[in-house]
Amino acid sequence: MNLTLKIWRQEDAKSPGKIVDYQVKGIEGDMSFLEMLDVLNEQLITKGDEPVVFDHDCREGICGACSLQINGEPHGPDRLVTTCQLHMRKFNDGDTIYIEPFRAKAFPVVKDLMVDRSSFDRIQQAGGYVSVNTSGNTIDANAIPINKDDADASFEAATCIGCGACVAACKNASAMLFTSAKVSQFALLPQGQVEATDRVLAMVNQMDEEGFGNCTNTGACEIECPKGISLENIARMNREYLKASMKG
């Protein structure tokens, strides 16, 4: 198929950007979206032009690095997939495709389609961990009985890959779905109870400091999440935050 690509080009976070038109031909339906961009970049390099910068790593839907806004949707028109898992058969010959970076104050543009999502790392570092005594008194985690429903819910929350689609989909650029998933994966387990109060207060505070907006229950974050993280996690985090605030 032959496609017209309208791609956001921007030198860095402080420079103005613009949409630039490109034509690609001979794109196969079984190609991934990133493979299609590879074809474009090969053409640009051959002509001596600067290739389009976009982020990627595993290309297996695990790392979340490939985040792109495609025709106004994070990760494009398919559901429960990352950009690297999006196949070109979702598009038609002759289509015009708009490709932009995720738009959020807390995700400054590095260049072109790549954004800096280290704000997510700082939220995780604020409390998204369990301190473990490794001084010879360690306990096998499997020795602690855990209700299966809690274990399953914790695992589902832990599948969040931190891609930022929730932020890009939200009209408020809220990071509540990401933060709540990271809070929930520990809040549901006995190992996470010791630091539960400090964890939720620290992570929510860091989220606010990074400049993310507030949640207004629109629900776009869950719809666009490639891992289907549930809004139930936001409700759980709100409960955890209320309990922690009352203890304080």
Side-chain angles (χ1 to χ4, degrees):
M1 68 182 79
N2 301 329
L3 303 166
T4 298
L5 307 178
K6 291 183 174 289
I7 301 179
W8 184 261
R9 303 300 304 263
Q10 184 173 344
E11 187 61 30
D12 54 46
K14 297 182 180 179
S15 302
K18 64 179 180 179
I19 293 287
V20 179
D21 291 2
Y22 299 98
Q23 304 293 325
V24 288
K25 299 180 179 180
I27 300 300
E28 299 178 5
D30 288 337
M31 285 182 176
S32 74
F33 200 86
L34 295 191
E35 288 172 331
M36 180 273 294
L37 290 177
D38 289 338
V39 170
L40 170 65
N41 277 344
E42 287 178 7
Q43 294 176 2
L44 293 176
I45 292 170
T46 299
K47 292 192 300 182
D49 294 336
E50 188 172 0
V52 176
V53 174
F54 61 94
D55 207 355
H56 64 91
D57 191 1
C58 73
R59 298 202 178 199
E60 295 180 350
I62 298 171
C63 70
C66 62
S67 305
L68 295 176
Q69 193 86 346
I70 302 166
N71 286 343
E73 294 186 81
H75 297 299
D78 209 351
R79 290 292 173 265
L80 300 177
V81 298
T82 52
T83 299
C84 63
Q85 296 173 305
L86 175 66
H87 287 92
M88 296 309 298
R89 54 179 170 266
K90 287 291 180 178
F91 303 92
N92 299 311
D93 183 37
D95 276 358
T96 296
I97 305 175
Y98 285 82
I99 310 171
E100 302 171 84
F102 280 0
R103 304 288 190 179
K105 177 182 178 181
F107 290 165
V109 172
V110 176
K111 187 171 184 178
D112 295 340
L113 304 176
M114 180 185 290
V115 299
D116 179 359
R117 287 170 294 159
S118 59
S119 52
F120 270 12
D121 295 332
R122 290 187 289 274
I123 293 173
Q124 183 82 352
Q125 291 161 3
Y129 54 84
V130 174
S131 297
V132 179
N133 183 354
T134 57
S135 62
N137 299 314
T138 55
I139 300 174
D140 189 342
N142 292 332
I144 303 175
I146 299 173
N147 178 281
K148 187 178 187 304
D149 290 339
D150 291 341
D152 289 346
S154 176
F155 182 82
E156 289 169 3
T159 61
C160 169
I161 56 177
C163 67
C166 52
V167 175
C170 179
K171 63 183 179 181
N172 306 317
S174 172
M176 288 282 280
L177 193 67
F178 165 78
T179 307
S180 67
K182 298 307 178 185
V183 167
S184 289
Q185 69 184 66
F186 298 115
L188 288 159
L189 300 177
Q191 294 92 334
Q193 297 308 308
V194 177
E195 297 162 310
T197 298
D198 292 339
R199 175 183 301 111
V200 69
L201 293 175
M203 293 183 74
V204 170
N205 180 63
Q206 187 64 42
M207 176 185 69
D208 291 340
E209 286 187 10
E210 296 294 341
F212 292 104
N214 292 320
C215 173
T216 50
N217 296 314
T218 303
C221 54
E222 179 179 343
I223 293 172
E224 299 293 353
C225 175
K227 299 302 177 181
I229 302 298
S230 173
L231 286 173
E232 292 179 1
N233 291 295
I234 295 179
R236 182 179 297 108
M237 185 178 74
N238 285 338
R239 293 193 299 270
E240 291 290 320
Y241 186 84
L242 180 60
K243 287 192 298 183
S245 299
M246 292 175 68
K247 289 181 180 179

